Amino acid sequence: MSSAIFLILAMLLLLGIELAYMHIARRNGWTTQRNVRRDGHPVAVIGGGLIFYLGMVLWSLGMGIIYDVEAPGAYFLIGLTMLAATSFVDDILRLPVWLRLVVQFLAASFLCFGFDPLYVHPLVALLFIVAVVGFVNGYNFMDGINGITAAYSVVVLGVLLFIDLFTVRFASGSFIAVALGSALIFGLFNFRRHALVFAGDVGSICMGFIICNLLTEYCISQGDIFGLVMVSVYAVDIFATIIRRIIEGENILRAHRKHIYERLYFIWRVPQLVISTIYALLQLGISVGYLYLSSDVSRLIYFLGVYGLLIAVYLIVMTLTERRIRRNIRGAARNAVERL
């Protein structure tokens, strides 16, 4: 079977799976309370990002990896399966935080097993495992508005596929294509004003793990970490918010609304799909700029410049937002006094 036919059949099957899952989820009440509609729109279901995992299973079946634990990508699939199973159950039943973290660290360890260069020093492996757990949880935290996971993932995977096809071969093109296709199919039902389905923890965490795997392969092939600029928009929002919450003495594992995208929506009232599009296009522009660089020096300067600029933008937006919140509080207080 040719790669093109395999990809077409895989996409059709994943589309059918997503439609079937939405039907099953509605019948079983796998919905989120914040999306109980009273305006005639369908109730959105959770866990639709399960097709990100199932897409990888289809790819592994096509490549024969699922039958050979020694094949490249087998350790990745083991880790992804652990994450998918735990996260899906958590979406439906809610699991203890400690159990989810234990599974995430084990999954990250399996991912690490698949990359020999990470065993140069145990500290390198440990830092990698911690970084993977942090990133997949951060990717989950960023999945809070319609379309953002779908749009951002399509951009990141699309750029990685372009690099693999036209610049440097660092991974299986069919692997990236299936992941990209699953994100596009999910986007059909999620990138809407009234989303029909949400990724759930199973979707956002699995997609974060998939992207971690691909970025690791790319960075190892290049011998540097400058490729991380291709997730810089998410990375800055994730880790800057975590640091800010730690400084403020908050529990970083509890839900909150302090990411920039949440501030833009809840405080500045920017439409959700506009925010999702801004995140995706900003990352696309940054990634395209990176593709035009050829020397290590230029990539280092670009890497530092992009992260420095994004951190500055983060601080400016957060400062302006805090001022707006204070003005809103003062305005509400004055209105309350006037009503008295």
Side-chain angles (χ1 to χ4, degrees), residues 313-328:
V313 170
Y314 177 91
L315 295 174
I316 291 171
V317 172
M318 285 305 183
T319 299
L320 294 175
T321 300
E322 293 302 321
R323 291 178 182 177
R324 186 181 180 90
I325 292 173
R326 287 194 293 269
R327 285 199 302 268
N328 291 344

Side-chain angles (χ1 to χ4, degrees), residues 156 159-160 163 215 218-219 222 224-232 283 287 290 299 303 307:
V156 175
V159 171
L160 289 170
I163 292 173
L215 284 175
Y218 177 74
C219 289
Q222 297 299 105
D224 58 51
I225 63 170
F226 304 147
L228 296 180
V229 76
M230 289 183 282
V231 291
S232 55
Q283 185 60 71
S287 299
Y290 170 79
R299 287 183 175 181
F303 179 87
Y307 273 93

Side-chain angles (χ1 to χ4, degrees), residues 78-337:
I78 293 172
L80 186 66
T81 300
M82 296 171 65
L83 289 178
T86 306
S87 300
F88 185 73
V89 172
D90 184 55
D91 280 330
I92 306 304
L93 302 176
R94 308 308 299 177
L95 295 175
V97 174
W98 68 266
L99 178 59
R100 283 180 280 153
L101 285 175
V102 167
V103 174
Q104 289 168 8
F105 272 99
L106 287 174
S109 298
F110 272 104
L111 182 63
C112 185
F113 293 158
F115 298 108
D116 292 338
L118 296 178
Y119 284 99
V120 173
H121 194 283
L123 181 60
V124 175
L126 178 61
L127 290 175
F128 174 78
I129 292 169
V130 171
V132 170
V133 173
F135 185 77
V136 297
N137 277 286
Y139 217 88
N140 185 30
F141 296 156
M142 295 297 292
D143 182 39
I145 59 174
N146 295 359
I148 194 167
T149 294
Y152 195 84
S153 300
V154 165
V155 165
V156 175
L157 292 170
V159 171
L160 289 170
L161 181 60
F162 178 87
I163 292 173
D164 188 71
L165 292 177
F166 301 106
T167 305
V168 57
R169 297 284 296 181
F170 67 92
S172 167
S174 60
F175 175 99
I176 307 174
V178 170
L180 175 60
S182 65
L184 287 169
I185 291 171
F186 172 73
L188 292 175
F189 306 100
N190 178 258
F191 195 87
R192 299 167 176 239
R193 182 181 178 187
H194 300 287
L196 300 179
V197 63
F198 290 116
D201 288 357
V202 64
S204 53
I205 286 179
C206 284
M207 182 55 73
F209 196 71
I210 291 168
I211 290 175
C212 268
N213 176 66
L214 288 170
L215 284 175
T216 302
E217 288 191 83
Y218 177 74
C219 289
I220 288 177
S221 72
Q222 297 299 105
D224 58 51
I225 63 170
F226 304 147
L228 296 180
V229 76
M230 289 183 282
V231 291
S232 55
V233 176
Y234 257 28
V236 168
D237 201 349
I238 292 169
F239 293 108
T241 301
I242 290 175
I243 293 172
R244 180 167 178 256
R245 295 187 70 204
I246 291 175
I247 292 174
E248 294 176 353
E250 297 183 13
N251 184 344
I252 62 173
L253 297 178
R254 289 185 177 178
H256 64 93
R257 292 180 175 178
K258 292 192 174 182
H259 288 290
I260 285 184
Y261 79 89
E262 292 170 314
R263 294 306 205 187
L264 290 175
Y265 177 64
F266 291 107
I267 305 301
W268 295 95
R269 303 302 179 185
V270 180
Q272 295 186 45
L273 295 186
V274 172
I275 298 171
S276 299
T277 302
I278 290 172
Y279 268 71
L281 291 181
L282 180 57
Q283 185 60 71
L284 178 61
I286 291 171
S287 299
V288 169
Y290 170 79
L291 296 180
Y292 279 98
L293 305 175
S294 57
S295 69
D296 290 341
V297 174
S298 61
R299 287 183 175 181
L300 172 60
I301 294 173
Y302 189 76
F303 179 87
L304 296 175
V306 165
Y307 273 93
L309 181 59
L310 288 175
I311 291 172
V313 170
Y314 177 91
L315 295 174
I316 291 171
V317 172
M318 285 305 183
T319 299
L320 294 175
T321 300
E322 293 302 321
R323 291 178 182 177
R324 186 181 180 90
I325 292 173
R326 287 194 293 269
R327 285 199 302 268
N328 291 344
I329 293 174
R330 288 195 296 266
R334 283 196 300 269
N335 292 336
V337 171

